[in-house]
Amino acid sequence: LTDLPTELLEHILCFPVLQHIDICNVSCCCKRLHDVCHGRGKVWGNQYKLRWPRLQRFYRPNESWDWLSEYRARHKVGTQIRRTVESISKRFFTEVVSQVLGDSFAEIESLGMPEHFCEDELLFILNSDKRKNLTLKYYAKKILYFLRQQNILRSLKSFLERPAEQQSALEGVTSEDIFDFVYIDAFGKGKQLTAKECEYLIGHQVTADYYSAISTNELLLRMVGNLLNIGKRGEGNEKSYQLLRDSLDLYLTINPDNVQYLLLQARLYFHLGIMARKVQHTLEHIQHKKHPAAPEVKLRSSPEHAEVQYSVGLIMKHKRSGYNCVIYGWDPKCTMNQEWITTMRVNLLPNGPQQPFYNVLVQDGTCRYAAQENLEPHSAPMEIGHPEVGRYFSEFANSHYAANEELQARYPEDTGVTLGTVRRLYH
């Protein structure tokens, strides 16, 4: 083998079935094979391209690279990022997700490696087996989004630091051109107006200054403000609520400490009967009273939990509303305050608020708090397409979701009950 020409040996070592561990083993055989593996870089360059094809766009084909060093750096980043992501759920299961992302992002930044290495590893995690490693994927997706968001915010900050004249989307426009523009009526289905039509619409004559350009920051605030106003004026249907939710999320991304809109978001979630925990976190944020308590362990064998019929991980159907969901928590009786109980008409239920209530992740992306009498096991279990599934479950096991370690620690006796229920219902 060692008598073969270098080019032929390189060709053999570039065969796709060989992995990096194989190349390492071959290079340890003798000096001749070591030189072939590491000499011209072709073998390790091929290994790099096979394992991380998405990264090829960052390398110019005519430039020389130390592919072994690049491979080592990318492999090291991948190992450290995976270790960081795996540790998040254990450390921050009961914390606010935004705090988790900030801490984890700082850890990833401290690696001092190119951002495209980090992003590639996170994408690799997300593109692995669809039904497994759900908790790992959940936090990988959160961190990837956070990384990209930080890049956008840095670019936006850099843009806003430019002189005002360099921020304008309309260049070379003089004051004499003002009245030649076409204006858009944002509240009139996007109808195009001239300046004179604008005067007629608002009912009085205005000067050219009234139509002058505004700063990018003011423009962004106006756009979000318009969306918020449209959402507020909605007809109270699902579409208008969704618009209000989305526009509030956008505004609070720009200005996360605006108390007025934080309270509006909390009121909206409370009105919809969703995201009860997020409402609590929002109010704590406003009052600056974050005192995280130790997670409560709930044992089904306790006498006070005797009426709890269902367990975490079961896929359920709401008898009245018809939505599909998965249970991720339960209480032996309703723990919401009297105002919520009255608003949601819990007292009109046959068993009222004294029956068990379940925290469920719903197919439409909401989190709800449902009474036991309104839930029943689904006749044909399915995956629940909720963005928070990975926070509580490690995988979808065809008939149910398997709780991750953190959820099992909170409900240690539920796993056996869930498996027993699944065997009884579906096997």
Side-chain angles (χ1 to χ4, degrees), residues 126-140:
L126 290 172
N127 292 329
S128 58
D129 192 333
K130 179 181 178 182
R131 295 185 173 186
K132 296 184 180 297
N133 298 319
L134 298 182
T135 300
L136 192 67
K137 292 177 184 176
Y138 170 81
Y139 287 107

Side-chain angles (χ1 to χ4, degrees), residues 49 63 67 73 85 139 182 193 210 243-244 266 319 322 359 361 364 375 422:
K49 294 171 185 176
E63 292 185 1
W67 287 110
V85 177
Y139 287 107
V182 173
L193 304 172
Y210 193 87
L243 174 60
L244 185 55
K319 296 178 182 177
N359 297 106
L361 302 176
D364 63 5
L375 294 175
V422 167

Side-chain angles (χ1 to χ4, degrees), residues 248-360:
L248 279 170
D249 288 342
L250 177 59
Y251 188 94
L252 291 172
T253 298
I254 302 169
N255 188 4
D257 294 319
N258 186 292
V259 174
Q260 176 186 355
Y261 287 123
L262 282 170
L263 286 172
L264 178 59
Q265 184 185 59
R267 286 173 54 198
L268 175 64
Y269 286 160
F270 182 82
H271 175 75
L272 296 176
I274 61 175
M275 306 291 191
R277 292 184 180 181
K278 185 170 183 178
V279 172
Q280 179 182 352
H281 292 154
T282 298
L283 296 176
E284 289 175 348
H285 174 69
I286 293 172
Q287 298 175 12
H288 302 286
K289 292 182 179 179
K290 288 189 177 180
H291 302 295
E296 179 186 2
V297 176
K298 296 183 179 179
L299 301 175
R300 304 181 66 86
S301 56
S302 298
E304 62 269 25
H305 299 154
E307 300 299 321
V308 178
Q309 295 181 10
Y310 306 124
S311 51
V312 296
L314 288 178
I315 298 171
M316 312 295 287
K317 188 177 186 68
H318 197 278
K319 296 178 182 177
R320 299 171 61 188
S321 301
Y323 60 72
N324 304 320
C325 59
V326 57
I327 296 173
Y328 71 97
W330 49 259
D331 297 307
K333 61 181 180 180
C334 182
T335 60
M336 302 300 284
N337 60 34
Q338 189 58 47
E339 185 178 357
W340 186 90
I341 290 174
T342 302
T343 301
M344 303 307 293
R345 301 181 179 180
V346 174
N347 287 319
L348 299 181
L349 295 173
N351 296 321
Q354 297 304 313
Q355 63 181 305
F357 271 69
Y358 297 84
N359 297 106
V360 295

Side-chain angles (χ1 to χ4, degrees), residues 16-66:
V17 297
L18 297 178
Q19 299 183 3
H20 69 284
I21 191 67
D22 301 313
I23 303 302
C24 290
N25 290 334
V26 169
S27 68
C28 293
C29 292
C30 64
K31 185 177 185 303
R32 165 71 170 146
L33 292 177
H34 180 276
D35 292 341
V36 172
C37 291
H38 303 300
R40 301 196 302 174
K42 181 177 180 180
V43 176
W44 281 109
N46 180 71
Q47 280 292 315
Y48 191 97
K49 294 171 185 176
L50 287 175
R51 187 166 181 185
W52 299 297
R54 284 190 296 265
L55 295 178
Q56 294 312 300
R57 59 193 177 93
F58 295 99
Y59 298 94
R60 295 178 181 176
N62 297 328
E63 292 185 1
S64 177
W65 296 91
D66 183 348

Side-chain angles (χ1 to χ4, degrees), residues 371-389:
Q372 180 167 279
E373 67 182 73
N374 284 335
L375 294 175
E376 61 182 356
H378 205 289
S379 59
M382 65 187 71
E383 289 188 75
I384 302 298
H386 193 287
E388 298 290 303
V389 161

